[in-house]
Amino acid sequence: MTVNDGLHAPRELISVAEVRRHLGSRVDVGVGIEATGLALSDVAVPDGSLVALTGEVESISEGVVLTGLVAVPWQGSCRRCLEPVEGVFTVEVREVFETHPTDGETWPLTNDQIDVGPLLHDTALLALPLAPICSEGCAGPAPDRYPAGSVADDEHSEEPPRDPRWAALDGLDLDDTSTDSDG
Ligand SMILES: [Zn+2]
């Protein structure tokens, strides 16, 4: 990872010492990361652009809850006409940071600080569209020669028969109500 001198580096760390003094108190936050290598095969957050979160931090007994909106700028190619497309996704987040985090569920809170870098990184990757199109009506590079949707789409309009085993599952109540003897 690069080491910034900090002057213009987006802030990734939020000090939560103040807000944690009073349970339930809140504070507005604005943080961000500079994107590097945030890319899928056909789309990417352009390197150097800002993935920014605006929201608030609220203290809870074991840590803090971070809620807010993450703006994820992205660029790619239309999967139909291959023209460049770009946009900004806005993703809602609500994440818990704890002094004793649960792996895969909550994030660490250490030294009265939370690091939103990994969260913003993951959020940006998940927000990227797998198959971007320049517009809903995009007909592709040569619609006169290759009209969209007219080729073999209507050949089999019926859905394939369902596996009867899935039908059996439909009737099941999958609530986990089994009671273990929790000692
Ligand atoms: Zn297009």
Side-chain angles (χ1 to χ4, degrees), residues 4 8-10 32-38 44-52 73 75:
N4 287 304
H8 297 97
I33 58 170
E34 207 174 274
T36 48
L38 282 172
V45 181
D47 279 354
S49 61
L50 185 68
V51 176
Q75 287 179 350

Side-chain angles (χ1 to χ4, degrees), residues 32-77:
I33 58 170
E34 207 174 274
T36 48
L38 282 172
L40 301 178
S41 56
D42 291 330
V43 287
V45 181
D47 279 354
S49 61
L50 185 68
V51 176
L53 180 149
T54 51
E56 65 176 21
V57 165
E58 177 182 358
S59 69
I60 57 176
S61 58
E62 301 299 322
V64 297
V65 181
L66 172 68
T67 52
L69 293 174
V70 180
V72 183
W74 61 275
Q75 287 179 350
S77 304

Side-chain angles (χ1 to χ4, degrees), residues 172-179:
L172 285 181
D173 182 3
L174 292 176
D175 274 355
D176 184 15
T177 50
S178 61
T179 49

Side-chain angles (χ1 to χ4, degrees), residues 78 81 134 138:
C78 173
C81 69
C134 62
C138 176

Side-chain angles (χ1 to χ4, degrees), residues 78 80-83 133-135 138:
C78 173
R80 292 181 189 160
C81 69
L82 303 182
E83 290 295 316
I133 53 176
C134 62
S135 69
C138 176

Side-chain angles (χ1 to χ4, degrees), residues 3 18 61 66 69 89 91 97 120 127 130-131 134 141 156:
V3 177
E18 190 71 26
S61 58
L66 172 68
L69 293 174
F89 274 109
V91 185
F97 291 75
L120 293 183
L130 289 173
C134 62
H156 296 289

